[in-house]
């Protein structure tokens, strides 16, 4: 890219302000599922944005950000397509619904019809109707060309300030957001800002309310949109994330206007048993992607989220050795932290302090600090004990996971129970001869043996 066009893109893209309403994008009585009546005319800036969207798709694929599980993605595709209007052919739109490997609860649509739902959001939702609510919202952004409208309306206003704020916010706590966000930032700051913070309030409201209509037409109970928004308001990590999908003031606002809008619709409440059946079907479909997400959550120090999600799957299928194993892993990773946050830890000030601390400390440093306190010591004891029980339980179930032996080995090693640690590591190696960490565990055993001599 030459210097001039890069400069131009930066100017084009930096000039976003999501607080400014976009003119010409009012909520109208027009049928929610059809594209805007007048044909959308693509200008140069629109085509540039479209190019960036396609480039992003390629980078996500190339850099392993798309969760490559055929069953998961075809499920998303099926639910997504069921929400599309019959006249779904839009110029420069190819509908693709896929999971993105990122534990932060978020979703976004690119103007070319690529809709991404983060693994962290898929795992958090309770049923297919809630997934449909998220997709209906994102689909509306694409159908009504929101990215282009906002890009056009704000191009000349507001320079670097917003992008600087965005860049400061996207990585406040030692990598809360995954590599996907880095890729977006490198390609399109405009898309970065809309991905993280959403569009203007008017456009977001339009996406929510038309999303409700889209759900009704596709026969999903629309009140599940409110439930999904409430689920997102549940701040498991006590963090100061200002992403659109978990921005609390905005969520409160969304819950109240969607609820009011639903009140004006016919009563569509779905029978409880029907929702229960739906929940079971949904959790079965997302079990694989959720286990993957639990690992991502642990890797990115979202330990309480990992406990919350693995508990959900352990409750769903308590006889699954794999689900119990993930719960054990999550408790072991939790270390000296408490599994849930107290009211006090969830106040605005406490969350601000926690975010600052997280930005300064690595998870290991945070652990050391906590372990120096009586409460941290107590949590550590409780969590280790819980993890041990769970590993042992998972090993007694059908189809046990060899990694449970490795988990026990790590747990015992940390507790100073060296002989048991060696035994468990050895059992792991005996059962998993092709494990990627075979060599590493073998060296662990050697080290432990020689330290015991
Ligand atoms: Zn949105």
């Amino acid at each position: 890219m030459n210097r001039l066009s890069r400069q131009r893109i930066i100017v084009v893209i930096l000039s976003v302000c999501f607080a400014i309403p976009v003119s010409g994008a009012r909520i109208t009585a027009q049928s929610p599922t059809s594209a805007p009546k007048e044909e959308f005319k693509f200008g140069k800036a629109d085509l540039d944005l479209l190019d960036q969207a396609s480039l992003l798709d390629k980078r996500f694929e190339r850099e392993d950000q798309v969760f490559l599980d055929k069953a998961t993605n075809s499920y998303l595709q099926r639910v997504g397509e069921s929400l599309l209007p019959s006249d779904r052919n839009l110029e420069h739109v190819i509908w693709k619904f896929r999971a993105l490997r990122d534990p932060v609860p978020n979703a976004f649509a690119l103007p070319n019809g690529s809709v991404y739902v983060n693994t962290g959001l898929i795992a958090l939702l309770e049923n297919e109707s809630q997934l449909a609510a998220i997709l209906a919202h994102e689909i509306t952004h694409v159908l009504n060309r929101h990215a282009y409208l906002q890009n056009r309306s704000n191009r000349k206003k507001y320079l670097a300030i917003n992008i600087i704020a965005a860049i400061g916010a996207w990585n406040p706590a030692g990598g809360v957001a995954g590599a996907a966000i880095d890729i977006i930032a490198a390609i399109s700051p405009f898309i970065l800002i809309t991905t993280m913070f959403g569009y203007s309030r008017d456009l977001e409201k339009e996406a929510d309310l038309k999303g409700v209509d889209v759900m009704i037409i596709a026969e999903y109970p629309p009140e599940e949109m409110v439930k999904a928004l409430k689920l997102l308001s549940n701040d498991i990590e006590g963090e100061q994330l200002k992403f659109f999908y978990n921005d609390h003031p905005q969520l409160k606002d969304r819950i109240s206007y969607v609820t009011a809008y639903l009140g004006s619709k016919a009563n569509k409440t779905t029978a409880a048993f029907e929702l229960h059946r739906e929940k079971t079907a949904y959790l079965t479909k997302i079990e694989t992607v959720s286990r993957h997400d639990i690992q991502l959550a642990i890797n990115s120090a979202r330990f309480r989220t990992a406990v919350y999600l693995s508990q959900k799957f352990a409750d769903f299928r308590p006889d699954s050795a794999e689900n119990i194993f993930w719960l054990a892993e999550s408790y072991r990773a939790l270390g000296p932290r408490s599994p849930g946050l107290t009211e006090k830890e969830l106040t605005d000030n406490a969350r601000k302090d926690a975010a600052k601390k997280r930005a300064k400390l690595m998870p290991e440093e945070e652990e050391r600090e906590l372990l120096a306190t009586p409460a941290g010591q107590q949590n550590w004891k409780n969590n280790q004990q819980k993890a041990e029980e769970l590993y042992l339980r998972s090993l007694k179930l059908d189809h046990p996971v060899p990694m449970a032996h490795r988990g026990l080995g790590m747990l015992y090693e940390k507790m100073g129970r060296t002989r048991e640690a060696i035994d468990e590591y050895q059992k792991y190696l005996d059962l998993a001869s092709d494990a990627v960490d075979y060599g590493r565990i073998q060296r662990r055993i050697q080290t432990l043996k020689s330290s015991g001599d």
Side-chain angles (χ1 to χ4, degrees):
M1 193 191 295
N2 66 41
R3 193 167 160 273
L4 217 107
S5 73
R6 182 179 299 152
Q7 236 172 22
R8 201 183 57 78
I9 286 178
I10 289 172
V11 171
V12 164
I13 278 160
L14 289 188
S15 45
V16 177
C17 176
F18 31 94
I20 294 292
V22 177
S23 56
R26 309 215 181 290
I27 299 162
T28 62
Q30 169 195 316
S31 159
T33 52
S34 63
K37 288 221 171 64
E38 66 278 25
E39 208 188 317
F40 187 84
K41 295 259 188 316
F42 281 83
K44 173 88 173 70
D46 305 319
L47 291 170
D48 284 346
L49 190 60
L50 184 67
D51 282 346
Q52 290 165 9
S54 307
L55 191 57
L56 267 178
D57 283 332
K58 285 198 194 96
R59 289 279 300 271
F60 285 155
E61 284 160 24
R62 208 172 62 207
E63 296 179 31
D64 202 22
Q65 294 304 302
V66 180
F67 181 57
L68 289 178
D69 179 62
K70 230 177 152 189
T72 302
N73 290 324
S74 40
Y75 175 56
L76 292 176
Q77 189 73 23
R78 176 173 75 63
V79 178
E81 281 179 5
S82 77
L83 297 161
L84 293 175
S86 44
D87 55 337
R88 65 182 64 177
N89 288 336
L90 274 184
E91 194 183 1
H92 296 309
V93 169
I94 297 167
W95 295 102
K96 254 191 215 165
F97 300 85
R98 288 181 293 178
L100 204 66
R101 300 177 55 235
D102 190 323
V104 174
N106 200 25
F108 57 93
L110 301 179
N112 63 357
S114 282
V115 178
Y116 292 99
V117 190
N118 285 3
T119 53
L121 183 52
I122 298 172
L124 183 69
L125 298 173
E126 299 282 355
N127 56 45
E128 188 174 300
S129 297
Q130 292 176 3
L131 174 66
I134 302 293
L135 296 179
H137 173 105
E138 296 303 334
I139 285 170
T140 308
H141 282 318
V142 179
L143 286 175
N144 293 2
R145 309 289 198 182
H146 286 172
Y148 301 116
L149 295 179
Q150 178 130 355
N151 186 32
R152 283 178 184 179
S153 94
N154 290 315
R155 273 190 317 143
K156 301 235 156 51
K157 300 171 207 157
Y158 303 97
L159 288 169
I161 292 165
N162 290 305
I163 187 65
I164 288 167
I167 286 168
W170 105 61
N171 218 3
V176 276
I181 289 286
D182 289 337
I183 297 173
I184 301 173
I187 291 180
S188 172
F190 170 79
I191 296 176
L192 172 73
I193 291 176
T194 55
T195 301
M196 292 179 64
F197 304 127
Y199 297 96
S200 70
R201 187 179 179 280
D202 281 8
L203 293 185
E204 291 300 348
K205 190 169 179 180
E206 183 177 69
D208 281 334
L209 301 189
K210 293 201 171 173
V212 165
D213 294 342
V214 166
M215 288 179 80
I216 292 172
I217 291 168
E219 298 184 335
Y220 282 106
E223 61 274 8
E224 289 302 309
M225 181 180 279
V226 175
K227 291 200 191 138
L229 295 174
K230 285 185 177 160
L231 206 54
L232 283 158
S233 318
N234 172 11
D235 187 356
I236 299 165
E237 295 290 336
E239 59 198 348
Q240 277 260 309
L241 268 190
K242 285 280 182 211
F243 276 28
F244 173 69
Y245 269 102
N246 43 8
D247 181 79
H248 283 242
Q250 271 200 87
L251 277 169
K252 236 175 123 185
D253 194 27
R254 294 173 72 192
I255 288 168
S256 81
Y257 67 60
V258 173
T259 306
Y261 188 68
L262 281 176
S264 68
K265 301 263 146 185
N267 186 9
K268 283 268 173 188
T269 304
T270 310
F273 71 88
E274 218 173 291
L275 273 178
H276 177 74
R277 203 172 49 207
E278 203 202 2
K279 179 175 179 174
T280 305
Y282 180 71
L283 294 186
T284 306
K285 289 213 169 69
I286 66 156
E287 215 167 15
T288 303
V289 60
S290 299
R291 285 172 188 153
H292 185 79
D293 182 68
I294 290 163
Q295 178 72 74
L296 292 176
I298 292 174
N299 293 350
S300 49
R302 300 174 73 77
F303 304 116
R304 291 188 177 96
T305 303
V307 169
Y308 176 91
L309 294 175
S310 50
Q311 185 67 58
K312 170 169 145 181
F313 283 91
D315 292 343
F316 171 55
R317 283 208 301 134
D319 56 348
S320 153
E322 210 171 330
N323 288 354
I324 302 302
F325 161 74
W326 281 111
L327 188 56
E329 286 282 278
S330 303
Y331 269 104
R332 182 170 62 80
L334 195 59
R337 300 168 193 86
S338 61
L341 292 172
T342 59
E343 286 286 310
K344 215 173 114 195
E345 287 169 304
L346 283 171
T347 59
D348 279 354
N349 279 340
R351 294 197 311 189
K352 243 175 243 165
D353 287 348
K356 261 189 228 148
K357 215 170 187 180
R358 260 200 304 266
K360 258 193 288 178
L361 297 179
M362 296 293 288
E364 299 77 31
E365 295 170 309
E366 188 199 4
E367 277 182 26
R368 268 199 299 277
E369 260 191 23
L370 283 170
L371 275 172
T373 67
Q377 280 283 343
Q378 193 55 50
N379 285 331
W380 190 79
K381 250 187 222 153
N382 296 347
N383 295 336
Q384 306 297 308
Q385 200 180 357
K386 184 112 194 188
E388 183 184 12
E389 280 166 24
L390 289 162
Y391 282 128
L392 293 172
R393 198 201 310 166
S394 87
L395 284 168
K396 285 197 190 112
L397 293 165
D398 287 346
H399 313 295
V401 189
M403 281 188 298
H405 288 294
R406 185 189 65 185
L408 272 176
M410 292 165 113
L411 193 68
Y412 291 149
E413 188 183 339
K414 213 164 181 181
M415 293 163 113
R417 292 158 66 176
T418 310
R419 185 185 288 263
E420 288 160 285
I422 294 170
D423 278 358
E424 293 298 334
Y425 282 147
Q426 194 54 56
K427 280 182 197 156
Y428 170 63
L429 294 186
D430 293 347
L431 290 168
S433 54
D434 55 353
V436 282
D437 56 357
Y438 192 94
R440 194 171 63 79
I441 297 297
Q442 216 169 18
R443 284 193 297 279
R444 259 343 287 148
I445 295 177
Q446 288 315 318
T447 311
L448 288 176
K449 277 186 174 161
S450 58
S451 71
D453 291 343

